[in-house]
Amino acid sequence: MTTPNNTEHANIAVITGASSGLGEQFYETIAHRYPDLDEIWLIARRKERLEALAERYPNIRARVRALAFDLSAASSYDELSSMLAEEQPVVRVLINNAGFEREGLLRDMTPKDILAMIDLNIMGMTMVNRVFSAVYARWLIRSNHRIGLLVRPDPMADGVFGEQGVHPFPRAGFA
Ligand SMILES: NC(=O)c1ccc[n+]([C@@H]2O[C@H](COP(=O)([O-])OP(=O)(O)OC[C@H]3O[C@@H](n4cnc5c(N)ncnc54)[C@H](OP(=O)(O)O)[C@@H]3O)[C@@H](O)[C@H]2O)c1
């Protein structure tokens, strides 16, 4: 892909859970803080909300794409990986934010809700990191500069495990 700044690959930002809450706020910030982006990928399940958000800032340079994926479904990671392999974008920003939580004590939650939280907040977060981090890391190494941004709101705040602690999931990194 040839982009307007004549680089070979599109510079993109990716925001998961972009259809509401923190993700929507991250989108507003990124749309304005990174004016040289070629594309912003908004990912969540509600396609209509994403499409409406994609129209929200008509004056920014980036093409905003509404990508409906259920990040608790394994097939989504395959599809995203295929998109990355085909389009070969440069992932400048990854906001790995999709998640949900239920209020209350663990013992009062239904097994269905607990498993759904694990599917999205743990498996989904980890697999999104895996799908995008290889591309992201390649860019950091090649570019040798420090504009990239990788963010994940703390999954331990989601209530599945009750308290913060050591865990195998990268939470946030700034480059
Ligand atoms: N708000 C806070 O103060 C706070 C504090 C600490 C941590 N967090 C964590 O930060 C994350 C975002 O919080 P929030 O308050 O912004 O929540 P929110 O308003 O409920 O937003 C959650 C986002 O995740 C998306 N999402 C939910 N299930 C999904 C799925 N299966 N596949 C893809 N996307 C999915 C939702 O979109 P769709 O429904 O369209 O899919 C929505 O865009 C959560 O993990 C939360 O636990 C929030």
Side-chain angles (χ1 to χ4, degrees), residues 17-23 44-46 69-72 97-101 120-121 152-154 157-158:
S19 62
S20 63
L22 293 178
R45 292 167 301 178
R46 287 171 290 172
F69 283 103
D70 180 347
L71 295 175
S72 62
N97 163 74
F100 91 101
E101 59 184 305
L120 182 62
N121 299 349
R152 166 65 200 182
D154 192 339
D158 291 344

Side-chain angles (χ1 to χ4, degrees), residues 41 78-89 135 138:
W41 293 11
D78 294 337
E79 279 189 60
L80 284 166
S81 293
S82 297
M83 282 178 67
L84 288 173
E86 185 176 332
E87 301 187 23
Q88 302 263 317
V135 188
R138 268 205 304 276

Side-chain angles (χ1 to χ4, degrees), residues 41-67:
W41 293 11
L42 304 180
I43 299 177
R45 292 167 301 178
R46 287 171 290 172
K47 178 91 170 167
E48 333 71 54
R49 279 194 60 81
L50 295 178
E51 285 173 343
L53 286 167
E55 306 290 324
R56 180 173 283 182
Y57 308 114
N59 296 326
I60 63 172
R61 173 180 178 277
R63 171 191 177 211
V64 184
R65 296 169 67 177
L67 302 173

Side-chain angles (χ1 to χ4, degrees), residues 8-29:
E8 201 178 337
H9 304 285
N11 286 298
I12 73 169
V14 179
I15 306 163
T16 72
S19 62
S20 63
L22 293 178
E24 191 176 338
Q25 298 301 312
F26 277 125
Y27 167 45
E28 178 179 4
T29 300

